[in-house]
Structure formats: C-alpha cells, structure tokens
Amino acid sequence: FLDTGDRGALPPMSVLKLLEDLGLVPKGDSPERFVAKSIIGELQADEDDLVSFYEAEFAIEEMRLFTETTRRRKERDIQRTYDMSDDVFREFRTQLLSLHSSFERLDEDNSGCLDPQEVINLLAEFGFVSSQSMARTMDLIEEIEEQEDGEITFLAFLKVIKELRTLDMHARNSEVRELFQACDRDRSGELDMREASAVLVSLGLQPRTVREQEGIAQLLEEVDADGSGRLDFQELLVMVQRIAENMAHLKLLEEGEVAAQLNFSPPVVRQLRTAFEAMCSVTHGGQLNMQDVERALISTGYRTVTGEVHKMLQDIDSNQDGELNFCEFLRLIARVDEDHKLT
C-alpha cells in the first residue's frame, strides 16, 4: 500500500515507513532509526531515486538481523549484571527486556528494588495478577520479601512470577490433563500440533489476532525443546499457562492503548479496572450488562439516568450484544465524563 503509484519501487522515506510499520524501527530518534537510515542510504536506487522491492527486502533483512543481534546482546548483559542462572535466563528470555525495562521504570530512586505495591502494579501490567488473585499474590510477595531480607530486587521479582506461574499451572492441571487424555487417542503420551491446537480451542485460547499467532508460535518453539513437534503433558501444561498469560498481557496492552487515547491516567485506569472486575466477579461473565454498568458507575462516583446509560451503551457496544468489555467500559466512562462537562 506504500507503492501508491504501482511502480514496484518506493522512495527511500517510504522504505523507512515500511520498517516502522513492521515494528523494526521505533518512531522518534533512536539507535535503530540511525542504523535504518544508514542501511537505506546504501541501497541501490534507480534514476528516479526509487528503491526496488528487492532492495527494500534487503533493508528489512538487515534491520531484522541488527534488531535480533542487539536484543540478544542486551539479554546477555542483563544475565551477567544479575548473575542470573541459565535456567532462569531460559525461562524468562523472551520477556526479559520488557520486564527489566518496566522494573527500572518503576525504580525511580535507582535502588535496584521495588516496594510491594510497585511489584503488584508491575505484575498487573503484564497480566500476572487480577483483583481475584490479589490477596494470594500479596501473601506470596510478603513471603519472598522475607526470604530476600526485605527487598524485592529484579531477581526476586522474577521469582515472584515463577511462583505465580507454578500456582496457575497447578490450578489448571486437572482440566488440561482431562483434555490431554481425550486428545491422546493413540495413548502415546504425546500430542501432535493438531491435537494440541484442539486443546487450545477447548480452553478458548486459540489465537484471534496476528500478534497472538506470533506469540503462540514463539511459545511453541520454546516449549518443544527437542523440536519433535509433539508435546507431552508437562510441555502442554506449560504452553497453556504461557499462552493464557501472553493473551492476558496483549489484552492489557490493547486496553492501555485505549486508555491513553481517552487520556485516562494509570491511577484512574486502575480504579476503573477494580470497579469493572468487582462487578465481573459477581456476574462471572467477564463483561458487564446495563445493570452491571450502572452499579459500576455508582461505585466509581458517577450518577447517571438509566435512559442515558442505555443510549450510551448502545452507541459504544461494538458487537451489540448488550454487554461491555473493559475497553468499551473505558469509552463509556469517557462519554459520561464528557456529558457531565457539557452539562
């Protein structure tokens, strides 16, 4: 779509835009952008200063190589900095950079430690904890804080995540084992990828977006350590836990993007999420109907007329099922805020 003239070639700036769209170059000044411009500057252009498809493809491969090399170097730097064991490094490698970056962002005094509330906020940001599991998570943090002499360092933070994953896998064990046995028709003790996919569908974990598909493909590569293309029960259980975790994280990212577009601050989003999840825990549906929405609005300090709420819900409910997910709930709150300002 960047080749608007249908000439089979692009101007150099469009190649840069293509690299941005592929997620290989961030917007704004960065080392990646400098490297990308250098690569594009060395491409062969025609007499009209246009770059062919093959030259653009070369730039993409060069940027992918640079990005991968840089990522691996940063991962190893973190491992050395914290004297991280190979087992911990392997388990967290795909998330290590984002987890470490977020940990440092909250560590405003550069002490190398976070307090329990900051740890909770960071865990929630990555989808490791919800309002339903908050009490259990706080107990776990207190236990690990005591073990680590009252400090939650980055390694202790990873330890909290590992424990939460273990608890989650324990909670899923029976359901996943039942599905594993039902799909293991030849009683080989392993599932091929088609059978494993059937388990994911039964659990509602089938990918629905490109980002989810890419995440699952990466997880499959990690879990299937021997590259056999078959999963035993423990490998399947780990995969199910990681996929559920990854999908929760992607969902939170989407909700964060919506919140930012609506100019909601992180503390306000946390307050609204608490109200939303409290109502969802009553209805057990993960979504709110009109009565739920009215109660949630009241719990967050809003006073509205039923007819007004019903009209707003109809406007915002994208699939018209009479219920709102959290993104739609945020849009509703923004609409209520706007209406209150107008009146």
Side-chain angles (χ1 to χ4, degrees):
F1 64 90
L2 291 174
D3 182 16
T4 54
D6 198 23
R7 302 175 65 177
L10 297 172
M13 287 307 296
S14 292
V15 177
L16 183 62
K17 177 66 167 60
L18 177 61
L19 294 174
E20 288 178 355
D21 292 344
L22 291 172
L24 295 172
V25 178
K27 289 179 168 52
D29 292 334
S30 66
E32 292 85 356
R33 197 173 192 84
F34 176 80
V35 170
K37 286 183 176 179
S38 297
I39 292 172
I40 293 170
E42 294 176 2
L43 298 178
Q44 295 292 321
D46 63 19
E47 62 274 11
D48 295 322
D49 197 30
L50 296 178
V51 175
S52 71
F53 168 79
Y54 299 104
E55 288 291 305
E57 192 174 40
F58 173 79
I60 292 169
E61 290 306 314
E62 286 292 293
M63 275 309 300
R64 281 182 174 151
L65 178 61
F66 172 79
T67 301
E68 180 66 14
T69 302
T70 303
R71 182 179 65 82
R72 289 184 176 277
R73 177 180 54 78
K74 289 179 178 178
E75 290 167 351
R76 289 298 182 185
D77 286 346
I78 293 172
Q79 184 185 23
R80 283 191 290 270
T81 298
Y82 294 97
D83 194 22
M84 190 180 297
S85 71
D86 288 339
D87 286 345
V88 172
F89 180 72
R90 278 193 296 270
E91 177 173 349
F92 289 98
R93 184 166 193 167
T94 57
Q95 293 177 292
L96 196 59
L97 294 183
S98 56
L99 287 171
H100 186 256
S101 175
S102 297
F103 186 94
E104 287 196 322
R105 171 171 50 82
L106 290 182
D107 181 22
E108 295 179 349
D109 60 358
N110 295 316
S111 66
C113 302
L114 299 182
D115 63 41
Q117 189 55 55
E118 289 171 331
V119 173
I120 283 288
N121 292 341
L122 190 49
L123 290 170
E125 184 178 315
F126 280 86
F128 293 116
V129 62
S130 65
S131 58
Q132 291 87 347
S133 62
M134 187 67 71
R136 181 188 67 181
T137 304
M138 284 299 297
D139 290 342
L140 178 59
I141 290 172
E142 288 177 9
E143 289 176 17
I144 292 179
E145 192 177 22
E146 289 178 9
Q147 296 169 10
E148 302 292 331
D149 298 323
E151 296 182 338
I152 300 292
T153 61
F154 182 62
L155 281 181
F157 172 63
L158 296 183
K159 188 175 180 180
V160 172
I161 295 174
K162 185 177 179 65
E163 291 296 326
L164 287 173
R165 284 174 169 173
T166 299
L167 290 170
D168 190 29
M169 284 191 288
H170 179 74
R172 296 176 183 274
N173 190 293
S174 296
E175 183 180 16
V176 175
R177 185 176 294 279
E178 183 177 337
L179 289 168
F180 180 91
Q181 292 172 344
C183 291
D184 182 21
R185 294 185 176 87
D186 60 1
R187 296 296 180 262
S188 65
E190 293 181 325
L191 301 184
D192 61 28
M193 289 307 163
R194 181 181 58 79
E195 293 167 331
S197 296
V199 172
L200 297 181
V201 171
S202 296
L203 294 170
L205 296 176
Q206 68 271 29
R208 295 180 176 84
T209 66
V210 173
R211 289 172 82 178
E212 290 179 356
Q213 289 172 353
E214 291 173 347
I216 289 178
Q218 188 176 42
L219 286 167
L220 279 171
E221 186 176 335
E222 292 174 31
V223 172
D224 183 23
D226 59 5
S228 65
R230 300 180 67 83
L231 303 178
D232 61 24
F233 171 70
Q234 190 58 37
E235 288 173 330
L236 179 70
L237 182 60
V238 170
M239 187 182 74
V240 166
Q241 192 281 324
R242 295 291 194 281
I243 289 174
E245 178 185 293
N246 186 56
M247 290 177 75
H249 179 50
L250 291 177
K251 183 168 175 284
L252 285 169
L253 287 178
E254 179 190 355
E255 292 168 354
E257 290 167 1
V258 171
Q261 291 168 5
L262 297 172
N263 296 317
F264 285 126
S265 67
V268 170
V269 174
R270 285 196 289 272
Q271 178 191 6
L272 294 173
R273 187 183 300 282
T274 298
F276 181 85
E277 291 185 350
M279 292 309 306
C280 285
S281 68
V282 174
T283 60
H284 304 290
Q287 299 196 113
L288 303 183
N289 60 29
M290 192 177 75
Q291 290 74 29
D292 299 327
V293 168
E294 288 178 322
R295 286 194 292 269
L297 287 172
I298 291 172
S299 73
T300 51
Y302 292 94
R303 294 291 183 272
T304 59
V305 178
T306 298
E308 294 176 350
V309 175
H310 186 67
K311 176 65 168 61
M312 291 178 189
L313 192 149
Q314 284 184 317
D315 292 342
I316 293 169
D317 182 13
S318 57
N319 60 0
Q320 296 297 305
D321 63 354
E323 297 184 328
L324 300 185
N325 58 32
F326 186 63
C327 286
E328 292 169 331
F329 180 65
L330 288 176
R331 293 189 178 97
L332 175 68
I333 294 295
R335 175 77 173 273
V336 170
D337 273 339
E338 186 62 29
D339 282 8
H340 279 201
K341 289 176 185 176
L342 292 175
T343 56

